Amino acid sequence: MQNDEDRADDAPQKAQRGIQSVEVGGRLLDALARRRKPLGLSELAAAAELSTAQAHTYLVSLTRLALVKRDAITGNYEPGPLSLRLGLMSIERQPAYRAALPHAARLAESVGLSVALSVPGALGPTIVRIEHGGYPLHVNLHVGSVMSLDTTATGRVFRAFGDPAQLDAMAASQAGAGNTLAGAESAQPAPDADARRAQLDAVRRRGIERSVDLPSPGVSALSVPVLDADGRLQLALTVIGSTGSIDVAWDGPIAAALRDAARQASASLGAEDAATPSAAPRVPPALADDAKAQRGINALDSTGGLLLALVSAGRALPLRELAATAGMPAAKAFPHLVSLLKIGLLSRDAAGCFDAGPLSQALGLIAMQRVSPARDAEAEIVALAEATDMSVAAATLGPLGPTVIRFEESARPQHVSLQVGTVMSLVNTAIGRSFAAGMTDDVLAGLLAGEPVRLAGRATAAADDAFRARLAQIRAEGVDFAFDAPVPGIATVAAPVFDHTGSIRLVIAIIGASRGFPHGPDSGLAQALLAATRRLSWRFGWIGGQ
């Protein structure tokens, strides 16, 4: 008697019975992938050829599963955190990415500059990882940025070494993308065919390309291809730094180190990786309270359990293991997986294991492009302020240090010398210490030199044992408190928001009067803050310990 795995191998995919609701939901996801921008309900329903009422019911479930999220300000729908994680899984499972990542990390450390990994995306070369070798470069580049094919070194490497058909599709997409591309604002008149051919021939001969003060003044870059054994472009490695700190000579030490990293990555392609240990599936924090209360599609809940199990494992799984990890019988899981294969959200390898599919990668790249800490945090900040009747601040790491980018004031009068643009001490404020707890020693040491210009900052030579112990406590508890410092009578509790790499993207802080302010990480106030930061972290693709 054949089991489910045997039937999955023997039967043509089209002949296998799936779950109709999964395939209808897939039409909405496919529409988001094809349109590559947030869509309102009516526009999304029309693109998926569904009625508005039908689309809304499915979107309730897709939002609950975090495959889709709804912008709190515009109400438009876009790929959600689970789509982001599935897309990243698809990328991270690619041999070229796995081969290049350790070399990129070592390169960043050795040259003390930022190194970006870019892969082909629907719109063009898309950054999927940035390794920082020192103090982060403050330029408008991040995971998800799409690089112009013409005005960036990365783009010209793709032009020189990429697949012609894929490049034609990218160029057509970029023609209508406007200023959404990195480098589009510096676009020059396109060179004629002969000039472009000569330019790309030169890139191929050198095996490296550079940009100096373009597209961003004061920022320069060197980029090289990572090729497979057949000479096909898999990704680009790009070293980025301030023009005064990066040597862009063709035969300079940075160019030599970059070429060497690319050669090693190419040589590593095809090497077997050790299997990633499986983990218990994690349920995403609720992203919208209204989604829970509204009627959705029950069958999609089981589908979501399978996707979460796969993301939590971080590797391709056979049917039985995937079903067991999701807590359901293989016979129940199988029809859902058939439909997930049909819509392209999953794929299946030669060994019969299920992995993230092409639709996952397309949605994930879009989700990466759309990650906006300030926008996504807005609703959480307002809700925290209303729920606690206290002030709430959000800060990011700016060129001078932890910088407040949003401040929602309490209705109660508070003597708080805080405003948008305030730069916080890394040592003497809860916001600053929360950032410091996530920094490497070399980055922290470099930033401590700038303490005197920050709020409550004082000249600090180095991190002492007491400060290091405090940072270890913050990492263990997930929050930090400050009482009567730096402002007498004012208390603060702060917690970090992580992105998919585990880096801190934001710190959120609740600020109130010291008298009666709750103490400890187990207090209701701290737990409310942690719940909000976990929801935001999930939105940014984080799937760490929850």
Side-chain angles (χ1 to χ4, degrees):
M1 180 176 178
Q2 284 188 316
N3 60 27
D4 293 311
E5 291 179 277
D6 294 331
R7 289 199 303 273
D9 288 333
D10 294 344
Q13 185 174 303
K14 289 184 178 178
Q16 296 171 7
R17 184 182 175 195
I19 304 293
Q20 184 179 7
S21 58
V22 176
E23 293 167 27
V24 174
R27 287 160 60 183
L28 290 163
L29 296 174
D30 182 67
L32 285 174
R34 284 186 286 105
R35 299 296 293 274
R36 297 196 295 271
K37 65 177 184 177
L39 298 175
L41 175 59
S42 298
E43 189 177 5
L44 181 53
E49 299 182 346
L50 298 172
S51 70
T52 301
Q54 187 181 16
H56 179 264
T57 303
Y58 278 87
L59 286 166
V60 168
S61 287
L62 292 173
T63 301
R64 187 161 55 216
L65 298 177
L67 282 166
V68 168
K69 68 179 180 181
R70 194 178 188 193
D71 190 283
I73 299 173
T74 67
N76 290 339
Y77 294 93
E78 58 188 89
L82 184 53
S83 292
L84 173 58
R85 281 305 321 173
L86 284 166
L88 287 167
M89 181 179 176
S90 175
I91 293 164
E92 291 164 359
R93 292 273 301 158
Q94 293 176 9
Y97 179 91
R98 297 199 305 271
L101 186 56
H103 300 294
R106 285 194 289 270
L107 175 63
E109 184 177 358
S110 67
V111 300
L113 298 167
S114 297
V115 178
L117 285 77
S118 301
V119 303
L123 271 177
T126 304
I127 295 177
V128 293
R129 184 84 177 198
I130 300 179
E131 293 290 328
H132 296 293
Y135 185 59
L137 178 68
H138 290 282
V139 64
N140 190 26
L141 287 178
H142 51 81
V143 170
S145 291
V146 180
M147 311 303 286
S148 166
L149 287 168
D150 297 315
T151 64
T152 67
T154 301
R156 291 192 293 274
V157 164
F158 270 77
R159 282 258 193 213
F161 295 95
D163 174 75
Q166 192 175 51
L167 286 167
D168 287 344
M170 288 181 187
S173 296
Q174 292 200 356
N179 290 331
T180 61
L181 306 174
E185 66 280 1
S186 301
Q188 304 294 321
D192 60 39
D194 290 339
R196 172 171 285 171
R197 191 178 303 111
Q199 180 189 57
L200 298 181
D201 284 343
V203 175
R204 294 185 191 102
R205 285 194 303 272
R206 291 190 303 264
I208 190 169
E209 179 59 327
R210 67 185 175 195
S211 294
V212 179
D213 290 324
L214 286 174
S216 299
V219 177
S220 298
L222 284 164
S223 184
V224 296
V226 172
L227 308 173
D228 65 14
D230 297 319
R232 293 174 300 201
L233 178 68
Q234 300 298 304
L235 55 81
L237 282 178
T238 306
V239 177
I240 309 167
S242 60
T243 300
S245 66
I246 181 172
D247 178 359
V248 294
W250 298 126
D251 56 353
I254 294 177
L258 180 57
R259 286 188 176 104
D260 188 54
R263 278 194 296 268
Q264 292 182 57
S266 294
S268 300
L269 280 172
E272 293 294 326
D273 288 328
T276 304
S278 59
R282 301 183 178 95
V283 178
L287 297 179
D289 292 337
D290 59 341
K292 283 186 172 182
Q294 298 178 43
R295 179 176 171 267
I297 305 297
N298 292 334
L300 288 177
D301 292 337
S302 296
T303 305
L306 290 164
L307 294 173
L308 279 170
L310 186 63
V311 165
S312 295
R315 60 186 175 90
L317 295 176
L319 171 60
R320 291 186 183 280
E321 186 176 352
L322 178 53
T325 305
M328 67 178 70
K332 179 181 178 182
F334 179 65
H336 291 269
L337 294 170
V338 169
S339 291
L340 289 170
L341 289 172
K342 285 182 179 178
I343 66 176
L345 209 55
L346 294 186
S347 61
R348 205 170 191 207
D349 62 23
C353 294
F354 293 91
D355 204 346
L359 179 58
S360 289
Q361 181 168 332
L363 290 168
L365 289 173
I366 295 168
M368 281 189 275
Q369 295 161 23
R370 292 286 303 165
V371 167
S372 171
R375 184 185 68 238
D376 283 337
E378 178 66 21
E380 293 286 359
I381 291 169
V382 172
L384 276 175
E386 291 179 351
T388 62
D389 200 19
M390 298 183 189
S391 298
V392 179
T396 190
L397 189 61
L400 297 178
T403 305
V404 176
I405 60 170
R406 178 73 169 86
F407 186 55
E408 181 74 9
E409 294 190 67
S410 166
R412 297 180 181 180
Q414 290 179 348
H415 178 63
V416 181
S417 55
L418 202 64
Q419 59 186 358
V420 171
T422 300
V423 182
M424 312 296 288
S425 167
L426 285 162
V427 178
N428 300 311
T429 68
I431 289 175
R433 288 190 297 268
S434 295
F435 274 108
M439 293 177 182
T440 60
D441 289 344
D442 57 337
V443 171
L444 179 58
L447 284 172
L448 286 176
E451 272 292 280
V453 304
R454 303 179 185 123
L455 177 68
R458 295 187 293 273
T460 303
D464 58 22
D465 290 342
F467 183 52
R468 291 184 185 280
R470 180 68 175 270
L471 298 185
Q473 180 182 358
I474 295 169
R475 287 190 289 269
E477 296 180 347
V479 294
D480 188 34
F481 288 83
F483 290 91
D484 299 313
V487 181
I490 296 296
T492 302
V493 57
V497 176
F498 300 96
D499 66 13
H500 72 279
T501 68
S503 301
I504 297 175
R505 291 296 296 269
L506 290 174
V507 168
I508 308 293
I510 300 175
I511 304 166
S514 295
R515 180 178 296 178
F517 197 90
H519 288 63
D522 295 327
S523 64
L525 187 67
Q527 289 300 307
L529 175 61
L530 285 170
T533 56
R534 284 168 181 157
R535 285 191 294 269
L536 285 172
S537 295
W538 177 263
R539 280 182 173 270
F540 300 160
W542 180 70
I543 196 168
Q546 296 178 29

